[in-house]
Amino acid sequence: MSEQTVEEPIEELDAEDEGVTRRGFVKVAVGGMALVYAGAVGYPIYKYLDTPVERAEEEAKVTSIALTKGEDKLAPGSALMFKFGSHPAMLIHHLDGKWVAFTAVCTHLGCTLPLWKAGSSTITCACHGGQYDPKTGKNVAGPPPRALQTYNVTVAPGVVTISKA
Ligand code: FES
């Protein structure tokens, strides 16, 4: 008799543990999915509502970037686009061997500039025809009120370092 009284509570306890474990698993799984969903929906909304001042502060933290995917082998007379922080930027390797980098955002109304084409004497904004000198970034024609922001370019084997001037 004493054996039965000992075994019965153990069996009941096992059955309860199994039930709680299943319920607990479902609760954790549903809770986890709810958290992932809230994050997936909430983060873009949070970023959208981010103030321009906060964005500018984040942008100011980026002072230099390293391009390490073979950009140092960019042929003379070629150009490529890259991101400097969140802004598009352009790296140009001129035929005379000079490397230059500018922000690729037009200073008129902020259109993204097209990639400079070899042989072209200007970088021409497609929005209103503003033109920039591809060697200096200076505004040379059209409505842009000022030159493009320039970056310092340092080329070493395997890496092109672009930093704020
Ligand atoms: Fe480039 Fe107007 S936005 S010329």
Side-chain angles (χ1 to χ4, degrees):
M1 181 158 172
S2 65
E3 286 179 12
Q4 281 183 338
T5 53
V6 170
E7 285 181 19
E8 282 176 19
I10 291 172
E11 286 175 17
E12 285 174 16
L13 189 62
D14 285 345
E16 278 181 25
D17 278 350
E18 195 172 319
V20 169
T21 302
R22 283 187 195 141
R23 243 180 259 132
F25 174 77
V26 170
K27 281 181 184 175
V28 169
V30 169
M33 286 189 289
L35 277 176
V36 169
Y37 180 76
V41 171
Y43 185 73
I45 293 171
Y46 167 75
K47 290 308 280 180
Y48 178 76
L49 296 176
D50 220 2
T51 67
V53 172
E54 288 168 334
R55 270 188 239 144
E57 286 172 357
E58 293 255 333
E59 198 64 35
K61 291 178 189 170
V62 180
T63 57
S64 129
I65 63 160
L67 304 176
T68 58
K69 295 182 178 166
E71 289 86 351
D72 59 314
K73 308 256 188 295
L74 185 67
S78 303
L80 59 81
M81 299 292 269
F82 64 97
K83 283 256 187 184
F84 194 98
S86 62
H87 295 294
M90 191 181 319
L91 174 67
I92 302 174
H93 187 188
H94 287 287
L95 287 172
D96 63 5
K98 184 178 180 189
W99 292 77
V100 292
F102 311 110
T103 179
V105 178
C106 183
T107 60
H108 180 221
L109 293 178
C111 286
T112 299
L113 295 171
L115 190 61
W116 172 77
K117 289 188 177 107
S120 174
S121 61
T122 60
I123 301 166
T124 303
C125 178
C127 291
H128 311 103
Q131 296 182 345
Y132 299 92
D133 184 320
K135 290 208 171 182
T136 63
K138 188 172 178 350
N139 49 323
V140 292
R146 61 186 177 280
L148 297 172
Q149 180 183 354
T150 59
Y151 299 115
N152 294 323
V153 181
T154 306
V155 182
V159 62
V160 176
T161 305
I162 317 276
S163 55
K164 285 187 176 170

